[in-house]
Amino acid sequence: MLSMIGLIVGLGLLIYFTMKGMNLLVAAPLCALFVALMSGLPLFPQLVEEGGVNFLTSYMGGFTSFIMSWFPMFLLGAIFGKVMEDSGAADSVSKALVNAFGLKYAVLAIVIACAVLTYGGVSLFVVAFSVYPMALSLFKQADLPRRFIPAALAFGSVTFTMTSAGSPEIQNWIPMDYLDTTPYAGWEVSILVAVLMMILGYWWLKRMINKAVGKGERFEARENDPTSLERDLPNPWMGQIPLFVVLVISFIFHHDLGTSALIIALLGGVITTYVLNRRYFTDFSKALSDGTIGALIAIGNTAAVVGFGGVAKAVPAFNVAVDAMASIPGSPLIGGAIAVSVIAGMTGSASGGQTIALPLLAPGYIDAGVNQEALHRTVAISSGALDSLPHNGYVVTTIRGICGETHKDAYGPVAAVTVIVPLIGLAVAIALFSLGLGI
């Protein structure tokens, strides 16, 4: 009982401290320590048998494993974003988009750019790094409140593209290992739900922005923003080519190399930006330095939260919660959706929700005769809802590490388009599958 109280209160405290802007490198281990103490988890490896579960090893295991897996992508992604910014390529592309769409559709341009990169196989974290400079330029030209940039980036990346049929993101691929399906499972329903989420999310995002503008909010420049002095800019096509290089290389090598393909893709993007636009750089060395610092801050904050998840999974209450989720009676689609959503929320990870829940759920559901394609799509969509709570790694990285905003200012719009909209899409998907569509 104490373990469950500790897990719930610890998660609540982490969300509270995150919303209050507390440094996550302090907040996350403190909340993890509270969870460990409430569960009677030994604090140090010296207090248990070799290989035994303890607080320090569990926390640092999660922390260091995330850095080990993602640091090259974070580093190159941040550098790519900075060289696009410093070379003027981001400004050039954004102005071309303004000319094509008009300032009225600046937000739509950002959403489309994120969606194309995400569906093309570029990691969600990297998309945020890559598109942010362009988004900043577009919001500045359109004089829109910059606190909505994280929501625009997140909406284009982690909603209607991340969990849709055919998406190369891991949230669409994990169910294949447990359900013997393909990336295109339930594609008929997936298309309908993706279109619904896209229309609803964009309408809601624009409504929130227009309401804020109506109250007098405008774009506010900061000291560390790129200079707005008149300068020569690259040809828009020269600015777009590096984005396409990242997209194409990622797509070509994704199946063989997985996320490691991003190392090649991003390095190709950085080199292409330099070769094509080198005469437009204001300070290439500073761009590299700023990108490196940005990557360290972003991955440090994210790893701190992942470390909390490592401790949460090590305490007895977590297994009790998982077992309870796996035993939900009724429709397997509803049970699976609830289980994956809740576990994703507890761990702050969509992929974590799937990899923990599916090994427990899939065998029994398959034996019961569930339609595996319908379950695949339901589980994929459900993983992209409660995973976007304030402590989620992507949310923390995008709001704080990349956009330099606070949760207090930016999280509300992010929650609307990445939590509520996917939950509505999930309900529609379950209803359509229950009616026999796509089965």
Side-chain angles (χ1 to χ4, degrees):
M1 184 57 137
L2 281 178
S3 180
M4 184 61 70
I5 293 173
L7 180 59
I8 294 172
V9 174
L11 180 58
L13 286 173
L14 179 58
I15 293 174
Y16 174 78
F17 289 144
T18 302
M19 293 297 296
K20 287 295 183 180
M22 186 174 181
N23 189 317
L24 284 167
L25 290 170
V26 176
L30 278 179
C31 293
L33 178 60
F34 176 82
V35 173
L37 290 173
M38 290 293 286
S39 299
L41 197 69
L43 297 185
F44 305 111
Q46 292 83 359
L47 302 178
V48 296
E49 297 179 0
E50 185 175 352
V53 177
N54 63 89
F55 163 74
L56 187 61
T57 301
S58 297
Y59 186 86
M60 292 309 300
F63 188 100
T64 57
S65 65
F66 184 84
I67 292 178
M68 182 175 67
S69 299
W70 285 100
F71 181 70
M73 283 72 93
F74 268 67
L75 177 63
L76 288 169
I79 289 175
F80 177 59
K82 282 297 179 181
V83 297
M84 285 286 289
E85 179 183 284
D86 190 74
S87 67
D91 277 342
S92 179
V93 173
S94 69
K95 289 183 177 180
L97 288 171
V98 168
N99 291 333
F101 289 94
L103 285 175
K104 181 179 178 182
Y105 297 103
V107 176
L108 180 63
I110 296 167
V111 172
I112 290 174
C114 291
V116 169
L117 289 172
T118 303
Y119 206 78
V122 180
S123 167
L124 310 170
F125 290 102
V126 173
V127 170
F129 277 117
S130 302
V131 180
Y132 172 69
M134 183 180 74
L136 183 67
S137 179
L138 283 169
F139 267 64
K140 183 177 181 179
Q141 293 178 69
D143 197 22
L144 300 176
R146 63 192 298 161
R147 69 184 180 90
F148 290 96
I149 292 178
L153 296 175
F155 175 58
S157 302
V158 303
T159 56
F160 60 92
T161 54
M162 182 180 80
T163 59
S164 293
S167 173
E169 300 296 333
I170 59 172
Q171 290 80 5
N172 183 46
W173 283 65
I174 290 173
M176 294 165 51
D177 293 335
Y178 303 97
L179 300 173
D180 192 26
T181 49
T182 73
Y184 304 96
W187 65 268
E188 301 95 334
V189 168
S190 180
I191 291 174
L192 294 175
V193 171
V195 171
L196 169 67
M197 287 198 289
M198 180 171 60
I199 294 173
L200 176 60
Y202 179 68
W203 170 82
W204 198 352
L205 179 58
K206 281 290 294 179
R207 185 174 182 272
M208 289 185 289
I209 293 174
N210 291 338
K211 187 175 180 180
V213 170
K215 291 181 177 179
E217 290 191 49
R218 295 291 185 270
F219 184 90
E220 295 182 3
R222 296 173 183 165
E223 291 183 3
N224 60 347
D225 286 344
T227 57
S228 58
L229 300 175
E230 289 297 324
R231 54 176 291 195
D232 290 334
L233 296 176
N235 182 286
W237 287 106
M238 294 297 100
Q240 292 178 56
I241 287 175
L243 291 170
F244 284 112
V245 167
V246 173
L247 182 63
V248 171
I249 294 178
S250 175
F251 180 80
I252 291 173
F253 292 102
H254 179 81
H255 288 284
D256 293 329
L257 298 179
T259 56
S260 296
L262 290 170
I263 298 174
I264 303 173
L266 290 166
L267 184 59
V270 172
I271 293 172
T272 304
T273 305
Y274 181 78
V275 170
L276 295 181
N277 306 303
R278 60 187 180 277
R279 75 183 185 90
Y280 296 98
F281 277 95
T282 58
D283 192 335
F284 181 71
S285 296
K286 187 175 185 299
L288 294 180
S289 178
D290 289 347
T292 301
I293 293 171
L296 289 171
I297 293 172
I299 200 168
N301 283 332
T302 307
V305 176
V306 175
F308 173 87
V311 174
K313 287 186 286 187
V315 301
F318 188 83
N319 291 328
V320 173
V322 171
D323 290 341
M325 291 298 104
S327 303
I328 295 173
S331 168
L333 297 184
I334 296 176
I338 293 174
V340 170
S341 293
V342 171
I343 296 171
M346 292 169 63
T347 59
S349 167
S351 56
Q354 292 187 17
T355 54
I356 293 170
L358 281 172
L360 301 172
L361 298 173
Y365 283 172
I366 292 174
D367 290 342
V370 68
N371 183 284
Q372 290 160 232
E373 292 204 357
L375 183 59
H376 175 134
R377 190 54 47 210
T378 301
V379 163
I381 296 172
S382 67
S383 72
L386 295 185
D387 74 306
S388 297
L389 293 177
H391 64 294
N392 168 260
Y394 171 84
V395 171
V396 169
T397 296
T398 302
I399 291 178
R400 295 193 184 187
I402 298 174
C403 299
E405 301 293 334
T406 65
H407 271 66
K408 180 181 178 181
D409 291 334
Y411 182 70
V414 171
V417 297
T418 66
V419 176
I420 299 176
V421 169
L423 284 174
I424 294 172
L426 173 62
V428 171
I430 292 174
L432 291 176
F433 280 127
S434 297
L435 292 173
L437 183 62
I439 296 178

